Amino acid sequence: NAGVTQTPKFQVLKTGQSMTLQCAQDMNHEYMSWYRQDPGMGLRLIHYSVGAGITDQGEVPNGYNVSRSTTEDFPLRLLSAAPSQTSVYFCASSYAGQPNEKLFFGSGTQLSVL
Amino acid sequence: ILNVEQSPQSLHVQEGDSTNFTCSFPSSNFYALHWYRWETAKSPEALFVMTLNGDEKKKGRISATLNTKEGYSYLYIKGSQPEDSATYLCAFSSGSARQLTFGSGTQLTVLP
């Protein structure tokens, strides 16, 4: 079982560069989300989606774009990377996004922006 | 923005010791409380999801309790083992949106 697959695991960018973090799940989950993890802080929600074609903003959406063209994939785009976006990024999914459903996480992407 | 606090921030215990830590959350508009274990270089994995006041959940040597009226949950580990070393995250949902608010975690190190 692949579960939630994130790529790449590590990435170094220069300020102003763009990139896409990939996330795919094979569990037929409707809900997918992106979090960032910074030292001393809890996971913070960037964007989420409750199904194909539907996305919404979380707590810290600025500087990030998402789209959900299929149930399986939920890429996160950084259009113009900034040093403040240096962080560990996690993709997570659940069956329907109900608050009492556990989240399944990907293995994370460690991003450094110089 | 909801405030979810975890204490202590970090903890070192000897192998065989029992330990516990706390997650505090808003006591109003409670819907669910999650606990996750996050081992270094791995993905966070769900331990428990609790929804009812007074709920107790158990998985092997790990158990959790929930008090929604006063806004706290305890996670207990009985007879800690080195493989229990991880960061333990709690997350709160008020149910008003499909979002969880995470605490910053308790980092547990079990010394052999």
Side-chain angles (χ1 to χ4, degrees):
Chain A
N1 270 344
V4 180
T5 305
Q6 270 184 254
T7 55
K9 288 191 184 303
F10 302 95
Q11 183 71 50
V12 179
L13 293 177
K14 293 181 180 177
T15 297
Q17 285 185 314
S18 62
M19 79 159 295
T20 300
L21 279 63
Q22 301 291 344
C23 177
Q25 52 86 15
D26 63 358
M27 297 175 283
N28 203 31
H29 284 175
E30 291 295 330
Y31 179 82
M32 297 185 73
S33 56
W34 279 100
Y35 287 88
R36 59 178 288 173
Q37 168 72 50
D38 299 297
M41 303 185 75
L43 290 163
R44 290 183 294 166
L45 183 67
I46 304 170
H47 285 284
Y48 66 97
S49 168
V50 298
I54 306 168
T55 62
D56 208 344
Q57 296 181 348
E59 182 186 349
V60 288
N62 292 341
Y64 307 95
N65 280 352
V66 291
S67 59
R68 184 93 180 270
S69 56
T70 67
T71 299
E72 293 78 19
D73 300 298
F74 191 45
L76 179 72
R77 295 184 188 84
L78 285 71
L79 296 178
S80 179
S84 60
Q85 294 178 305
T86 294
S87 187
V88 180
Y89 291 85
F90 285 99
C91 179
S93 72
S94 69
Y95 180 67
Q98 294 301 316
N100 59 345
E101 294 173 356
K102 63 181 179 181
L103 289 176
F104 292 80
F105 285 87
S107 56
T109 297
Q110 190 164 341
L111 175 68
S112 295
V113 182
L114 307 177
Chain B
I1 295 175
L2 302 170
N3 201 27
V4 178
E5 301 282 347
Q6 289 189 249
S7 62
Q9 195 169 14
S10 65
L11 188 57
H12 290 73
V13 301
Q14 290 294 136
E15 183 176 355
D17 286 351
S18 294
T19 187
N20 66 85
F21 22 93
T22 306
C23 173
S24 301
F25 52 85
S27 56
S28 59
N29 297 323
F30 176 86
Y31 194 102
L33 193 284
H34 296 222
W35 282 101
Y36 292 84
R37 175 167 60 196
W38 182 16
E39 295 178 65
T40 303
K42 294 187 177 180
S43 315
E45 287 188 0
L47 288 170
F48 307 114
V49 179
M50 295 185 287
T51 57
L52 297 175
N53 184 44
D55 240 356
E56 291 189 28
K57 300 270 188 180
K58 189 174 180 182
K59 187 175 183 178
R61 293 179 292 97
I62 303 177
S63 60
T65 61
L66 178 67
N67 184 324
T68 62
K69 295 186 188 303
E70 297 182 38
Y72 65 84
S73 175
Y74 293 139
L75 190 78
Y76 300 91
I77 302 179
K78 186 177 178 182
S80 303
Q81 299 297 309
E83 58 265 30
D84 296 328
S85 296
T87 296
Y88 291 83
L89 302 170
C90 71
F92 164 82
S93 174
S94 63
S96 60
R98 289 182 173 85
Q99 300 184 15
L100 291 175
T101 301
F102 281 82
S104 56
T106 292
Q107 187 173 3
L108 174 67
T109 303
V110 182
L111 305 169

